[in-house]
Amino acid sequence: MSTLTPPPKILVPAEDLRTFSAALLEKGGLRAEHARTTADVFVWAALRGVDSHGIARVPAYLDLLEKGVANADARITVESTTPAAAVLDADRAPGPVALSAAADEAVTRARTTGIAAVGVRRTVHTGAIGYYVSRIAEQGLVGIGFVAGMPNMGYTGVRGAAVATSPLAIAVPTDSSSAHAPLLLDMATATVALGRIRQARASGTPLPEGAAATEDGTPTTDPEKAVMPLPLGGAKGSGMSLAFELLTSVLVGAPIFASFHSDDPAGRKHRQNALLIAVDPAAFGGVEAFAASVDATLDTLKGLPAADGAQGVFYPGERSAAVAEGRGEKGVPVAPKVWRDLTERAGKLGVALPEAAGQ
C-alpha cells in the first residue's frame, strides 16, 4: 500500500515573514504601528513552533478586520483609580495591539508599586498569550496572564459547550548572563486545542480518550463527531476557566459567560478580555538574588535523573526557546496550505511575497 508524502513546507526568514505579515495587515486596515505589533506576535509564535497561533493567523485577522469584528481604528483608553491597577479599554482592537500595550503599562506601574495588574476589556482574539508575559519578563519582571473568551468547551456536569478554553501563562526571567532561557508556562484549560481536533479530522486520526466531545457533550475519539474540547483534568480545567472569566471579564465589567448564555443575541458577538500582572523582584528582596535562585532552581531540575525512556528533563519554555533559536537560523516553516492562502491574499492586496529560503 502506498502512502502519500505530505508536501514540503516553505522556509521563510523570520524578519522577512514579519515584514510581509505587517504589510498584509496594514493593507487590511491596521495602522503601520499596530500592523507591526500584530505581526511580531504571530512570528514570535511561529518561531517557537506554536504554528496554530503563528503566521496562519494572518488570513483570519484580515477577515476579522474586513468584517468589522476587529476595529482597525480602535481608540484605546486607560482608566485607573490607583497606581497599581488599571483597565485598558481596547475598543475591539486586535488582541496583539491591546495586550502589548497592557503589558507595557503593567511594567511601568510595577516599577513604582512592586506589583501591578492591568485588565483588558473588549479586545478581539488575543493570539499567543505567552508573548505578552514574555514581554514583561524581558524587562526583568515576572509576567502572569489570564484570558477569557467565547464558550467553546465543555464544563463538568453540563450538556454542550459551556466555558472557554481560556489560557494561563507565566513567564519568569533568568539572569541575563545565564544559559537558561526564561521559564514560560503557557497552557489552555482544555485537554486539546480546537486546532488539534481540526487536524485530526483532516488526517482521520483518532483523538485521545477524554479529549473531545460531540455537540451534546458526549465524549468521543472520532474526529468527525468531535466539535469541542473537554476541560483539562475534568472539573479542574473547567473550574479554572470559570475562575478566569471572573478574574478578567467580570472584573473589568464586560462579562462574557453570562451574556453568552442569555437570550440576548449580542451575547454571541466575538470578544475577549484579559488580565496581565507584572511583579518586580526588586520589591521582594532584590533582583540579583532572585535571578540567581531562579537559575539554581532550574539547574537543580536539569540535574535530576531522567526517567527511563525520557529524552531529558526540561522546564516549561525550554524546548520552545530551542525551536525558536533553530528557526531563527534556518527560517520559519510555513505549511503549503497556509502559504497558498497568504499568496492569494498578497495578490489581492498588492503585497510582494517574501523570498522563500527553501523547502
Side-chain angles (χ1 to χ4, degrees), residues 171-225:
V172 181
T174 51
D175 190 285
S176 58
S177 61
S178 170
H180 295 307
L183 179 143
L184 175 59
L185 173 68
D186 187 350
M187 55 173 281
T189 48
T191 301
V192 296
L194 278 168
R196 171 79 180 278
I197 295 176
R198 288 192 288 267
Q199 290 174 346
R201 187 178 300 134
S203 63
T205 305
L207 290 159
E209 291 281 353
T214 60
E215 189 171 2
D216 66 0
T218 303
T220 181
T221 59
D222 186 345
E224 292 295 333
K225 297 179 180 179

Side-chain angles (χ1 to χ4, degrees), residues 88-114:
L88 184 149
D89 191 298
D91 190 27
R92 294 185 297 106
V97 175
L99 269 73
S100 292
D104 293 345
E105 183 74 21
V107 168
T108 298
R109 290 172 179 268
R111 293 289 191 201
T112 300
T113 59

Side-chain angles (χ1 to χ4, degrees), residues 150-151 256 259-262 264-271:
M150 306 300 289
I256 294 177
S259 178
F260 180 90
H261 292 292
S262 72
D264 184 0
R268 299 295 177 108
K269 185 176 181 180
H270 173 74
R271 60 209 187 278

Side-chain angles (χ1 to χ4, degrees), residues 13-359:
E15 189 54 40
D16 290 351
L17 204 54
R18 183 179 289 107
T19 300
F20 175 55
S21 300
L24 286 173
L25 292 163
E26 188 174 354
K27 287 287 188 178
L30 288 180
R31 68 190 73 164
E33 178 186 0
H34 289 177
R36 182 75 178 185
T37 296
T38 304
D40 281 344
V41 176
F42 293 156
V43 174
W44 179 90
L47 278 168
R48 299 182 73 92
V50 190
D51 296 322
S52 60
H53 286 64
I55 198 70
R57 286 289 178 179
V58 173
Y61 272 56
L62 289 172
D63 290 341
L64 289 174
L65 291 164
E66 183 179 3
K67 295 174 183 177
V69 176
N71 186 0
D73 193 31
R75 294 293 183 261
I76 296 175
T77 58
V78 177
E79 308 161 8
S80 178
T81 59
T82 181
V87 175
L88 184 149
D89 191 298
D91 190 27
R92 294 185 297 106
V97 175
L99 269 73
S100 292
D104 293 345
E105 183 74 21
V107 168
T108 298
R109 290 172 179 268
R111 293 289 191 201
T112 300
T113 59
I115 181 170
V118 177
V120 178
R121 178 170 60 216
R122 296 194 307 146
T123 189
V124 177
H125 195 272
T126 54
I129 186 176
Y131 172 89
Y132 313 109
V133 294
S134 293
R135 189 180 179 107
I136 293 172
E138 286 174 358
Q139 301 301 312
L141 282 70
V142 174
I144 304 170
F146 309 95
V147 169
M150 306 300 289
N152 58 358
M153 180 178 78
Y155 185 94
T156 303
V158 175
R159 185 176 67 250
V163 292
T165 56
S166 300
L168 154 72
I170 300 172
V172 181
T174 51
D175 190 285
S176 58
S177 61
S178 170
H180 295 307
L183 179 143
L184 175 59
L185 173 68
D186 187 350
M187 55 173 281
T189 48
T191 301
V192 296
L194 278 168
R196 171 79 180 278
I197 295 176
R198 288 192 288 267
Q199 290 174 346
R201 187 178 300 134
S203 63
T205 305
L207 290 159
E209 291 281 353
T214 60
E215 189 171 2
D216 66 0
T218 303
T220 181
T221 59
D222 186 345
E224 292 295 333
K225 297 179 180 179
V227 298
M228 65 178 179
L230 289 172
L232 180 68
K236 295 179 181 179
S238 56
M240 287 174 66
S241 177
L242 185 62
F244 295 170
E245 164 73 3
L246 299 176
L247 286 171
T248 58
S249 306
V250 174
L251 189 65
V252 300
I256 294 177
F257 177 83
S259 178
F260 180 90
H261 292 292
S262 72
D263 295 328
D264 184 0
R268 299 295 177 108
K269 185 176 181 180
H270 173 74
R271 60 209 187 278
Q272 293 187 347
N273 301 302
L275 181 71
L276 294 180
I277 301 169
V279 181
D280 189 352
F284 293 82
V287 175
E288 293 182 1
F290 175 74
S293 292
V294 169
D295 283 339
T297 299
L298 298 181
D299 283 336
T300 300
L301 176 72
K302 298 289 292 177
L304 295 177
D308 292 342
Q311 296 180 340
V313 179
F314 303 96
Y315 60 88
E318 181 181 3
R319 282 180 285 192
S320 60
V323 171
E325 185 176 351
R327 289 188 172 189
E329 295 174 355
K330 300 177 182 178
V332 178
V334 182
K337 182 177 183 298
V338 174
W339 186 254
R340 286 194 299 271
D341 197 354
L342 291 170
T343 300
E344 182 179 338
R345 303 284 182 139
K348 290 180 179 179
L349 295 172
V351 174
L353 288 171
E355 182 177 347
Q359 293 186 346

